[in-house]
Structures are given as structure tokens and as C-alpha cells.
Amino acid sequence: MACILIIEDDQRVADLLKRGLEEFGYQTMTAYDGEMGIRLFRAGNYELIITDVVLPKMNGFDVCKEVRGSDKNVPIIMLTALGTTDDKLEGFDAGADDYMVKPFDIREIDARIKALLKRKTVKNESIIKPELTYADLTIDFQTKTVYRAGREIKLTPKEFNLLSYMAQNPERLLTRVEIADKVWNTHFDTGTNFIDVYINYLRKKIDKEFDSKLIHTKPGMGFIFKSGNENKD
């Protein structure tokens, strides 16, 4: 039975989450501000964290960064009323695995939790090569570092996950739907462009200063990771 840490300052919402998740069989612990959430996180052993963004004492973005400083694997869902693309990008940059906008359906939260816990289990059980090399790009999965032509490239956690997935699936079309599912573990929302934003972030870091490009756009279709100079973007 998974134990979930809920960080939510609105007691009505916190109680609603607690009752709903416990009906689905989860154990829960609740914190009503960011600092309390961090204290409970450090004192306990949680399978997943659900946090609001607007919190007293420490906001959800900083909570996420604090958690990621000591645990890179515990899944984090941000559940908030802030729903712009910029808010989502900031949440993912802070290390969140999923981002949901209020109001919410507890059944959808349960589905997201199950998907994240399943992905965590598969990841833990998989034998992952410590290093991947493609063309002049090297990804070290143990240290979470990336090098291109011997030069270290600094990436955010989501940029690293996106690049890792693309490099592990080279020379084939990757649609936005697939990237949303495999990297963000969410359904692609055609009303937002956060995937394209992250592709552009990544492209500037790993392609801009190199003659050979690795990330290529197929207009209206998706992206292909391969060595060459056929970038259509």
C-alpha cells in the first residue's frame, strides 16, 4: 500500500484528497505548508508526493527542488490552480513528474498515481546501461551528465529526461503524443506548446554550437533524433 504525502494549504482540498486517496487504498500524510511538507518528507518514507504551488512559508516549486536535492526518483505531482504553459514549464523545471490543474477528478489523480508508480517500478527493475553514446554525444545515467564532443552540457531534469528518451530511440519519428506519454507521463494537450518549448531549449544547448545537428523537426508530425543536417525547424 503506497504512502502518499499531500502538501496543500487549503484544508478542504487537503481533506478531499485524503479521503479520496484512502478510498482507493493509499495511505496518506498531510502537510499544510511547504516547510512542514519538507520536514515530513525527510522524516518519512513516501512513494509519491502531491503538492500545491501556492503554499505558505515555501512554495511548491521550491518544495520540489528541495525534494529533488535528496531524492531524484520519488514521483511528484503538482496539483494547482496555476495552469499556464509558463507555470507548467516552471513546475517541470523544478523536477515535477506531472502537473495537474484544479479543479480535479480524484479518479484521474488515481490514474496518474498508478502510472507514475508503475513507471518507477519498471525503472527500478530495468537494467540501465550506465552510459549511452550516439555520434559525439555521451549521456552518463549514473551522474546525470551529458557531454557533446567532450564538452559538458548543463541540462535541467526534464531536459535530461527528454534527451535521454530521444537518444534511446534514435532515427525514428517521435510524436508529441509519444513524448508527452513517455517523458511527462501525461496526455498531450494540443492547447499548450510545452513540448515544443522544451525541444527548443534542448536544441539550443546540444545543437546550436555544433555543425552536425541531432534534433530534427518533421513539420506537423514530430521529431527525429539522428546525426545530420536536415533540421526543418
Side-chain angles (χ1 to χ4, degrees):
M1 184 181 295
C3 188
I4 296 174
L5 174 61
I6 299 167
I7 309 175
E8 170 61 64
D9 65 317
D10 186 325
Q11 187 164 348
R12 182 187 64 81
V13 175
D15 290 346
L16 182 63
L17 279 170
K18 180 179 177 66
R19 288 195 304 270
L21 293 177
E22 289 179 352
E23 286 179 4
F24 280 107
Y26 303 104
Q27 294 180 346
T28 65
M29 182 67 71
T30 304
Y32 297 105
D33 63 64
E35 289 183 358
M36 181 190 298
I38 291 299
R39 289 198 299 271
L40 289 178
F41 165 72
R42 290 173 175 163
N45 184 20
Y46 301 96
E47 296 295 318
L48 184 139
I49 298 171
I50 298 175
T51 182
D52 194 359
V53 172
V54 182
L55 294 167
K57 298 185 180 179
M58 179 185 291
N59 68 51
F61 297 133
D62 289 337
V63 166
C64 195
K65 292 174 184 176
E66 191 76 19
V67 169
R68 285 288 172 255
S70 58
D71 191 328
K72 298 186 182 301
N73 297 316
V74 61
I76 301 174
I77 298 175
M78 285 193 162
L79 180 63
T80 175
L82 304 178
T84 69
T85 297
D86 286 342
D87 293 324
K88 292 179 181 180
L89 290 172
E90 187 170 357
F92 289 131
D93 281 345
D97 296 280
D98 204 346
Y99 194 106
M100 297 182 65
V101 179
K102 298 175 182 176
F104 59 87
D105 186 323
I106 195 67
R107 294 169 298 179
E108 183 180 359
I109 293 180
D110 176 53
R112 301 283 186 98
I113 290 171
K114 284 183 169 62
L116 285 171
L117 294 180
K118 181 179 179 181
R119 187 176 70 179
K120 179 183 177 184
T121 300
V122 169
K123 181 178 179 181
N124 289 342
E125 292 177 351
S126 299
I127 300 175
I128 302 176
K129 292 181 180 180
E131 188 175 282
L132 181 153
T133 299
Y134 183 90
D136 60 351
L137 180 82
T138 299
I139 302 174
D140 188 321
F141 294 105
Q142 293 182 324
T143 62
K144 305 288 187 182
T145 52
V146 174
Y147 299 89
R148 179 130 198 227
R151 183 193 310 176
E152 184 174 357
I153 309 293
K154 298 290 187 181
L155 300 178
T156 66
K158 274 301 177 188
E159 289 169 352
F160 180 86
N161 291 343
L162 175 58
L163 177 63
S164 297
Y165 185 76
M166 297 185 81
Q168 289 170 325
N169 294 272
E171 300 172 20
R172 73 175 181 86
L173 180 69
L174 301 174
T175 66
R176 290 170 177 80
V177 172
E178 178 180 348
I179 291 172
D181 179 46
K182 301 300 184 181
V183 179
W184 274 268
N185 197 50
T186 188
H187 296 296
F188 178 60
D189 181 356
T190 56
T192 63
N193 65 338
F194 70 88
I195 291 176
D196 294 81
V197 171
Y198 269 96
I199 289 288
N200 287 332
Y201 285 166
L202 202 53
R203 183 174 279 144
K204 289 178 182 178
K205 292 185 178 182
I206 72 164
D207 274 347
K208 185 176 181 180
E209 297 183 12
F210 300 90
D211 293 333
S212 177
K213 309 306 179 184
L214 295 175
I215 300 175
H216 305 272
T217 300
K218 288 290 185 181
M221 300 173 69
F223 309 94
I224 298 178
F225 188 86
K226 66 177 180 179
S227 181
N229 291 293
E230 301 175 10
N231 198 330
K232 303 296 183 182
D233 200 28

